[in-house]
Amino acid sequence: MQYFVVMIDYGRRGREAVVDPEITRREVISRIASGEYQNISFIHEIAENSVEDVTEAILSEAVLPQVPPGEVDLQAIRLDHARELRKHERT
């Protein structure tokens, strides 16, 4: 059996260990990327009789790609918005 333990630190309010045998590595990464899991102290992978600290590996996989501001076409966004507004105008 394999499962993950995600320790979340709430500061003065304490800590919470999220342990769900049905959650997969992909689901843990998804929850971190979505912001559901924040302030993570550590993530342990329990498999059979061994425990492995996989905090750094999972956090690095969960990082969202950064889009440089130079690649965003602001004029296209503005024109798309104007087109959407025209669709709803009464004629």
Side-chain angles (χ1 to χ4, degrees):
M1 174 180 243
Q2 175 185 4
Y3 60 95
F4 293 89
V5 176
V6 181
M7 181 65 73
I8 300 174
D9 186 4
Y10 294 112
R12 289 185 176 185
R13 295 183 307 174
R15 294 185 199 137
E16 175 186 18
V18 179
V19 181
D20 185 354
E22 296 180 6
I23 194 170
T24 63
R25 181 184 185 100
R26 181 175 290 167
E27 181 66 23
V28 172
I29 292 169
S30 171
R31 289 182 184 188
I32 293 169
S34 73
E36 185 177 340
Y37 290 164
Q38 296 179 358
N39 301 326
I40 296 171
S41 295
F42 62 81
I43 302 169
H44 287 170
E45 179 180 12
I46 315 293
E48 299 301 324
N49 294 327
S50 67
V51 177
E52 184 180 352
D53 185 2
V54 293
T55 308
E56 288 184 37
I58 289 184
L59 289 178
S60 66
E61 288 181 47
V63 174
L64 296 176
Q66 298 295 323
V67 176
E71 294 181 20
V72 177
D73 188 357
L74 297 178
Q75 183 177 6
I77 292 171
R78 194 172 27 250
L79 294 173
D80 287 345
H81 181 68
R83 185 181 323 117
E84 289 297 318
L85 290 176
R86 283 194 303 271
K87 284 183 186 178
H88 300 290
E89 287 180 356
R90 292 186 180 191
T91 56

